[in-house]
Amino acid sequence: AKKEGKGKYVFYKNDFLKANIKTVNMANRLKNALDSEHLTLYYQPQVNFITGEIIGVEALVRWIDPERGFVPPIEFIPLAEETGQIYKVERWIFKTALEQKQKWEQNGLKHIKVAINLSSKTLTSDVNFRKLESLLEAYNVDYSTIVLEITETAIITDIHSAIRRLEILTKKGINIALDDFGTGYSSLSYLRNVPLNVIKLDRSFINSIQENGRELLIIKAILSLCKDLNYEVVAEGIETKEQLQFLQKQQCTIGQGYLFSKPIPIEILEPQLKSLTIK
Ligand code: C2E
Ligand code: CA
Ligand code: CA
Ligand code: CA
């Protein structure tokens, strides 16, 4: 038994070491990716179901590693948050998205909203929040068409600081979206003092629409509450016509998902945006 225990310990220890080596390797590669511009932004269109028009885009970061290929953001964003690299990565994301937004505004696409994900780390760090604030100031963009997507985690870590920082942004006219709504624990009433403009209905809700009646009732209730509280609702992860029809029936009019488009690189997105302005 002792031997077995010892063996197990060795196993766990090696596992632990392996995990650390993996983290350090990944962190180093991410640093290189930033330096050598292996990061890029994809954009997923947000569509008005009634007019069929693209009203905005969500910027989603992509890491294309020359050796390993595509590294999904769910793998490296949490890691970057752990190592503190997120601040630099995020400033790169904001810089890139805001430069793009500025170009669109100069080229007749002023109305296209740009949604950017804001890490919960930034909302809880004074220094880094201020750096981001000055980055936002550095670009000449219409703030009313900028949306920052935050998660519940960012708010509940320190609700008073979060509210204070979000108010700085909303006073400039920037919109705040609550991302992944429905996956966390807070109710909208708990969040009533948080300055929010948009609620993003999580994909898991949209997914479960046909499955059972309870989910359906919950979505209906959320949509009606959002309407009463004057939040815009964006439905995420719409994949089927049935899901779209259901949302339309519930008077939900804006959403994104593979049914319309996957996140796409700028070269593919731009012609689509331009064809819409002509229309
Ligand atoms: P998120 O912010 O909830 O982003 C939506 C995710 O859902 C994206 O995954 C998108 O590609 C995916 N998606 C969109 N429509 C559909 C659909 O119809 N079906 C399915 N199955 N999936 C759909 P992605 O790009 O892999 O990003 C995953 C998460 O990584 C994001 O979730 C966000 O939390 C984080 N992330 C991505 N880009 C950034 C970024 O630039 N900054 C930060 N801080 N986080 C990011
Ligand atoms: Ca998001
Ligand atoms: Ca989301
Ligand atoms: Ca998510």
Side-chain angles (χ1 to χ4, degrees):
K2 199 182 166 189
K3 214 178 175 183
E4 197 181 86
K6 204 181 168 194
K8 257 188 190 163
Y9 169 72
V10 172
F11 173 74
Y12 280 133
K13 193 180 164 192
N14 279 342
D15 229 34
F16 180 70
L17 280 175
K18 262 191 222 153
N20 277 319
I21 290 166
K22 214 182 145 198
T23 304
V24 171
N25 276 340
M26 185 101 137
N28 280 327
R29 279 208 312 274
L30 181 58
K31 188 186 175 300
N32 287 333
L34 254 174
D35 295 342
S36 43
E37 292 175 38
H38 294 149
L39 297 183
T40 185
L41 287 189
Y42 275 32
Y43 297 89
Q44 185 174 40
Q46 299 182 326
V47 178
N48 178 325
F49 311 148
I50 297 166
T51 61
E53 281 176 322
I54 299 175
I55 55 137
V57 294
E58 177 179 1
L60 292 156
V61 68
R62 297 291 179 256
W63 174 7
I64 301 154
D65 189 295
E67 279 162 42
R68 305 190 335 149
F70 192 89
V71 187
I74 40 153
E75 266 182 42
F76 71 88
I77 295 283
L79 172 101
E81 287 180 333
E82 241 175 76
T83 61
Q85 287 171 297
I86 188 66
Y87 303 119
K88 211 174 165 199
V89 171
E90 186 162 81
R91 283 197 293 276
W92 179 88
I93 292 168
F94 271 67
K95 192 173 164 286
T96 309
L98 291 167
E99 258 167 31
Q100 192 55 65
K101 172 69 173 142
Q102 204 171 259
K103 273 189 210 155
W104 284 335
E105 292 199 359
Q106 289 157 0
N107 291 308
L109 296 167
K110 203 172 173 11
H111 58 285
I112 297 290
K113 289 183 191 174
V114 174
I116 313 171
N117 291 284
L118 182 65
S119 163
S120 59
K121 294 283 170 200
T122 306
L123 207 59
T124 50
S125 158
D126 239 336
V127 178
N128 290 288
F129 178 78
R130 263 188 255 132
K131 282 190 189 172
L132 203 75
E133 230 192 296
S134 41
L135 188 60
L136 280 159
E137 293 285 351
Y139 291 87
N140 183 21
V141 295
D142 175 7
Y143 285 148
S144 72
T145 52
I146 297 287
V147 185
L148 300 190
E149 299 194 359
I150 62 164
T151 59
E152 192 186 284
T153 323
I155 302 170
I156 59 180
T157 308
D158 178 354
I159 193 160
H160 297 291
S161 304
I163 290 175
R164 189 167 43 77
R165 296 193 180 115
L166 291 175
E167 275 172 350
I168 294 174
L169 299 171
T170 53
K171 274 191 189 128
K172 296 183 202 288
I174 292 171
N175 299 286
I176 307 296
L178 181 62
D179 206 351
D180 302 339
F181 184 75
T183 56
Y185 300 99
S186 326
S187 63
L188 285 176
S189 58
Y190 173 73
L191 300 172
R192 71 185 182 284
N193 294 321
V194 181
L196 297 171
N197 312 90
V198 181
I199 302 292
K200 294 195 78 177
L201 254 196
D202 191 68
R203 179 158 63 88
S204 58
F205 268 131
I206 316 299
N207 257 328
S208 59
I209 282 173
Q210 306 103 316
E211 282 163 25
N212 70 66
R214 267 180 68 86
E215 292 282 351
L216 210 138
L217 284 177
I218 294 169
I219 298 182
K220 281 188 184 179
I222 290 174
L223 287 172
S224 113
L225 190 60
C226 285
K227 205 174 174 190
D228 292 344
L229 293 171
N230 221 2
Y231 295 139
E232 182 184 290
V233 175
V234 175
E236 286 193 290
I238 305 164
E239 293 180 351
T240 68
K241 282 199 177 125
E242 290 72 28
Q243 291 167 345
L244 174 63
Q245 276 159 8
F246 168 81
L247 289 165
Q248 283 177 309
K249 230 186 266 169
Q250 305 308 319
Q251 262 96 61
C252 178
T253 54
I254 298 165
Q256 59 192 88
Y258 295 170
L259 180 65
F260 306 107
S261 170
K262 287 195 171 181
I264 46 180
I266 193 76
E267 313 85 71
I268 300 177
L269 173 74
E270 257 182 349
Q272 298 188 31
L273 292 181
K274 287 192 178 126
S275 71
L276 272 167
T277 42
I278 293 160
K279 195 182 117 189

